[in-house]
Amino acid sequence: MFTLAHLSDPHLAPLPAPHWSELIGKRVTGYVNWQRKRRFIHDPSVLAAIVADTKAQSPDHIVVTGDIANIALATEFPKGRDWLAGLGPAKDVTFVPGNHDVYVREAAAFAGRQWGAHMSDDDGSGGFPFVRRRGNVALIGLSTGVPTAAFLATGWLGTKQLAEFAAVLNALKSENLFRIVLIHHPPISETARHKRLLDAAVFKRVIAAHGADLVLHGHDHRHMINWLDGPNGTRVPAIGVPSASSRPAGDKDGAGYNLYRIEIANGAWQCELISRGFVESGQIVQQRRVVVTGADC
Ligand SMILES: [Fe+2]
């Protein structure tokens, strides 16, 4: 039995005071948006409670699918490094970046420098995709974070990363590992077009050709399950979680996370999903428990 916890979009608050020289380009609109709206949604005490509840479940590994930062100020990255370290050592905590972590061009290297230990292959090498093997499980990390113009929150994998992703999935097939893909943007989403993964169609073609056992994402700040086509009529669940720090607001869910209990039973993979999150009473409770896959292994 391997227990995996999936958190996403912590959007660490409070936002550090920006230096005046940092408030240029897209950061200006992002800063205004934070001050007017987002700082009332992302609550450090909510995030602390979610992290404490996660740790109380004693997962073997924790994955975080992006958006630690808000407007990618230089000071947000050491803060993020400390938060990741608080979840556990880098060997037990895996991270992939979101659009807020690569918010502007000059910040693109910050995540790699400060959070690289959580975004690397088992041999320590960086870049995307990366692969980490933990028991019978393979974690495949992708990056959809690219700097975009103001008011855009799109994601992009790119031809090179997608080609390497296909090769990785193909190679892992022969190892009989439970393949979990980590990606910030959902491959299927009903959110506005300016927030979507632009090359989602190619991503889905790669999954259809080579298969995977689970795709985990964040970005939409909601509990989501969609099914992707896999090879030979199989289906692959793509599952999203809310922001780990959010008070309920609008159509977004209150803070929550998912646990996966993965094992081989009677010659097949069994993967049980348990959702936990805040309810109106202010407590964190189990919200759902369901078997999401039972593919032959
Ligand atoms: Fe986010």
Side-chain angles (χ1 to χ4, degrees):
M1 173 80 76
F2 184 88
T3 303
L4 180 76
H6 173 211
L7 283 70
S8 199
D9 298 75
H11 290 287
L12 296 188
L15 183 67
H19 189 270
W20 64 268
S21 63
E22 291 183 296
L23 285 183
I24 49 172
K26 187 179 177 182
R27 283 205 190 106
V28 177
T29 51
Y31 185 65
V32 170
N33 191 25
W34 175 263
Q35 291 294 352
R36 289 169 68 169
K37 190 173 141 194
R38 298 173 70 96
R39 71 189 172 106
F40 301 110
I41 297 172
H42 299 291
D43 183 330
S45 66
V46 167
L47 180 59
I50 287 288
V51 168
D53 194 82
T54 304
K55 287 183 171 181
Q57 307 300 319
S58 302
D60 295 300
H61 200 92
I62 299 175
V63 296
V64 183
T65 48
D67 281 4
I68 287 178
N70 295 291
I71 57 173
L73 299 169
T75 45
E76 291 190 81
F77 290 86
K79 196 174 160 182
R81 180 197 59 211
D82 294 346
W83 181 77
L84 283 169
L87 292 180
K91 70 178 177 52
D92 297 330
V93 179
T94 299
F95 178 78
V96 293
N99 50 300
H100 284 262
D101 304 311
V102 194
Y103 204 64
V104 290
R105 195 174 304 277
E106 58 267 36
F110 292 171
R113 279 205 292 273
Q114 296 287 350
W115 310 337
H118 299 269
M119 303 191 291
S120 58
D121 279 325
D122 288 322
D123 65 5
S125 54
F128 300 95
F130 64 81
V131 180
R132 299 179 137 197
R133 291 169 177 79
R134 300 290 180 271
N136 288 334
V137 168
L139 301 167
I140 304 146
L142 301 175
S143 175
T144 57
V146 285
T148 62
F151 306 112
L152 293 181
T154 45
W156 180 251
L157 287 157
T159 309
K160 179 173 179 288
Q161 186 178 189
L162 282 161
E164 291 177 15
F165 175 49
V168 162
L169 285 179
N170 195 35
L172 289 173
K173 244 185 268 180
S174 59
E175 294 186 41
N176 285 331
L177 297 170
F178 190 86
R179 295 169 296 171
I180 303 177
V181 179
L182 309 174
I183 183 170
H184 178 68
H185 288 76
I188 295 176
S189 174
E190 293 175 357
T191 194
R193 294 190 72 83
H194 69 275
K195 297 181 179 179
R196 292 190 197 169
L197 178 62
L198 295 178
D199 44 6
V202 189
F203 175 87
K204 285 186 277 189
R205 282 206 293 275
V206 171
I207 296 290
H210 300 288
D213 296 287
L214 200 52
V215 175
L216 304 183
H217 66 79
H219 190 58
D220 284 12
H221 296 198
R222 293 171 53 217
H223 281 294
M224 296 165 62
I225 298 186
N226 285 288
W227 293 87
L228 311 177
D229 291 333
N232 306 316
T234 56
R235 297 195 310 159
V236 178
I239 305 181
V241 285
S243 161
S245 64
S246 63
R247 303 189 190 115
D251 64 340
K252 306 291 172 67
D253 293 326
Y257 68 100
N258 282 341
L259 283 169
Y260 295 91
R261 301 202 192 282
I262 301 157
E263 63 182 337
I264 297 172
N266 301 321
W269 288 112
Q270 289 294 322
C271 177
E272 184 184 45
L273 160 65
I274 297 163
S275 296
R276 295 182 62 81
F278 275 92
V279 291
E280 279 181 16
S281 66
Q283 289 178 306
I284 299 174
V285 301
Q286 181 175 306
Q287 298 168 310
R288 175 171 49 182
R289 186 180 199 123
V290 60
V291 173
V292 292
T293 183
D296 291 341
C297 50

PDB file of all heavy atoms in Angstrom, residues 9 11 38 67 100 184 219 221, ligand 1:
ATOM      1  N   ASP A   9      -1.973  24.616  -5.386  1.00  0.00           N
ATOM      2  CA  ASP A   9      -2.310  26.046  -5.367  1.00  0.00           C
ATOM      3  C   ASP A   9      -2.360  26.672  -3.973  1.00  0.00           C
ATOM      4  O   ASP A   9      -3.350  27.334  -3.630  1.00  0.00           O
ATOM      5  CB  ASP A   9      -3.646  26.260  -6.091  1.00  0.00           C
ATOM      6  CG  ASP A   9      -3.583  25.850  -7.560  1.00  0.00           C
ATOM      7  OD1 ASP A   9      -3.582  24.621  -7.831  1.00  0.00           O
ATOM      8  OD2 ASP A   9      -3.511  26.725  -8.414  1.00  0.00           O
ATOM      9  N   HIS A  11      -0.767  29.232  -2.931  1.00  0.00           N
ATOM     10  CA  HIS A  11      -0.746  30.705  -3.053  1.00  0.00           C
ATOM     11  C   HIS A  11      -0.403  31.346  -1.705  1.00  0.00           C
ATOM     12  O   HIS A  11      -1.249  32.004  -1.074  1.00  0.00           O
ATOM     13  CB  HIS A  11      -2.097  31.225  -3.566  1.00  0.00           C
ATOM     14  CG  HIS A  11      -2.364  30.877  -4.999  1.00  0.00           C
ATOM     15  ND1 HIS A  11      -1.724  31.481  -6.044  1.00  0.00           N
ATOM     16  CD2 HIS A  11      -3.201  29.968  -5.555  1.00  0.00           C
ATOM     17  CE1 HIS A  11      -2.151  30.967  -7.196  1.00  0.00           C
ATOM     18  NE2 HIS A  11      -3.037  30.043  -6.918  1.00  0.00           N
ATOM     19  N   ARG A  38      -7.703  38.520  -4.107  1.00  0.00           N
ATOM     20  CA  ARG A  38      -7.115  37.228  -3.743  1.00  0.00           C
ATOM     21  C   ARG A  38      -6.646  37.168  -2.300  1.00  0.00           C
ATOM     22  O   ARG A  38      -6.637  36.096  -1.691  1.00  0.00           O
ATOM     23  CB  ARG A  38      -5.979  36.886  -4.699  1.00  0.00           C
ATOM     24  CG  ARG A  38      -6.461  36.735  -6.138  1.00  0.00           C
ATOM     25  CD  ARG A  38      -5.311  36.556  -7.104  1.00  0.00           C
ATOM     26  NE  ARG A  38      -4.672  35.272  -6.964  1.00  0.00           N
ATOM     27  CZ  ARG A  38      -4.958  34.203  -7.709  1.00  0.00           C
ATOM     28  NH1 ARG A  38      -5.850  34.287  -8.656  1.00  0.00           N
ATOM     29  NH2 ARG A  38      -4.340  33.071  -7.520  1.00  0.00           N
ATOM     30  N   ASP A  67       1.625  26.684  -8.204  1.00  0.00           N
ATOM     31  CA  ASP A  67       1.124  27.941  -7.647  1.00  0.00           C
ATOM     32  C   ASP A  67       1.354  28.084  -6.151  1.00  0.00           C
ATOM     33  O   ASP A  67       0.429  28.352  -5.374  1.00  0.00           O
ATOM     34  CB  ASP A  67      -0.350  28.156  -8.004  1.00  0.00           C
ATOM     35  CG  ASP A  67      -0.542  28.670  -9.426  1.00  0.00           C
ATOM     36  OD1 ASP A  67       0.476  28.777 -10.158  1.00  0.00           O
ATOM     37  OD2 ASP A  67      -1.683  28.962  -9.803  1.00  0.00           O
ATOM     38  N   HIS A 100       1.496  30.903 -11.811  1.00  0.00           N
ATOM     39  CA  HIS A 100       1.888  31.970 -10.892  1.00  0.00           C
ATOM     40  C   HIS A 100       3.348  31.851 -10.447  1.00  0.00           C
ATOM     41  O   HIS A 100       3.913  32.818  -9.942  1.00  0.00           O
ATOM     42  CB  HIS A 100       0.966  31.987  -9.669  1.00  0.00           C
ATOM     43  CG  HIS A 100      -0.377  32.595  -9.961  1.00  0.00           C
ATOM     44  ND1 HIS A 100      -0.684  33.909  -9.661  1.00  0.00           N
ATOM     45  CD2 HIS A 100      -1.481  32.078 -10.545  1.00  0.00           C
ATOM     46  CE1 HIS A 100      -1.926  34.166 -10.041  1.00  0.00           C
ATOM     47  NE2 HIS A 100      -2.441  33.075 -10.585  1.00  0.00           N
ATOM     48  N   HIS A 184       0.145  21.153 -13.686  1.00  0.00           N
ATOM     49  CA  HIS A 184      -0.648  22.220 -13.040  1.00  0.00           C
ATOM     50  C   HIS A 184      -1.992  22.438 -13.737  1.00  0.00           C
ATOM     51  O   HIS A 184      -3.046  22.401 -13.110  1.00  0.00           O
ATOM     52  CB  HIS A 184       0.144  23.528 -13.022  1.00  0.00           C
ATOM     53  CG  HIS A 184      -0.621  24.660 -12.417  1.00  0.00           C
ATOM     54  ND1 HIS A 184      -0.937  24.694 -11.074  1.00  0.00           N
ATOM     55  CD2 HIS A 184      -1.183  25.773 -12.962  1.00  0.00           C
ATOM     56  CE1 HIS A 184      -1.647  25.789 -10.818  1.00  0.00           C
ATOM     57  NE2 HIS A 184      -1.810  26.464 -11.947  1.00  0.00           N
ATOM     58  N   HIS A 219      -4.930  24.285 -10.514  1.00  0.00           N
ATOM     59  CA  HIS A 219      -5.224  25.445 -11.369  1.00  0.00           C
ATOM     60  C   HIS A 219      -6.659  25.941 -11.295  1.00  0.00           C
ATOM     61  O   HIS A 219      -6.870  27.143 -11.172  1.00  0.00           O
ATOM     62  CB  HIS A 219      -4.857  25.151 -12.826  1.00  0.00           C
ATOM     63  CG  HIS A 219      -4.915  26.363 -13.718  1.00  0.00           C
ATOM     64  ND1 HIS A 219      -4.164  27.491 -13.471  1.00  0.00           N
ATOM     65  CD2 HIS A 219      -5.631  26.622 -14.850  1.00  0.00           C
ATOM     66  CE1 HIS A 219      -4.419  28.389 -14.417  1.00  0.00           C
ATOM     67  NE2 HIS A 219      -5.303  27.888 -15.260  1.00  0.00           N
ATOM     68  N   HIS A 221      -8.845  25.333  -9.015  1.00  0.00           N
ATOM     69  CA  HIS A 221      -9.248  25.537  -7.613  1.00  0.00           C
ATOM     70  C   HIS A 221     -10.592  24.875  -7.302  1.00  0.00           C
ATOM     71  O   HIS A 221     -11.395  25.416  -6.548  1.00  0.00           O
ATOM     72  CB  HIS A 221      -9.302  27.041  -7.269  1.00  0.00           C
ATOM     73  CG  HIS A 221      -7.979  27.729  -7.344  1.00  0.00           C
ATOM     74  ND1 HIS A 221      -7.728  28.954  -6.752  1.00  0.00           N
ATOM     75  CD2 HIS A 221      -6.822  27.387  -7.940  1.00  0.00           C
ATOM     76  CE1 HIS A 221      -6.483  29.326  -6.985  1.00  0.00           C
ATOM     77  NE2 HIS A 221      -5.908  28.400  -7.714  1.00  0.00           N
TER      78      HIS A 221
HETATM   79 FE    FE B   1      -3.756  28.819  -8.654  1.00  0.00          FE
END
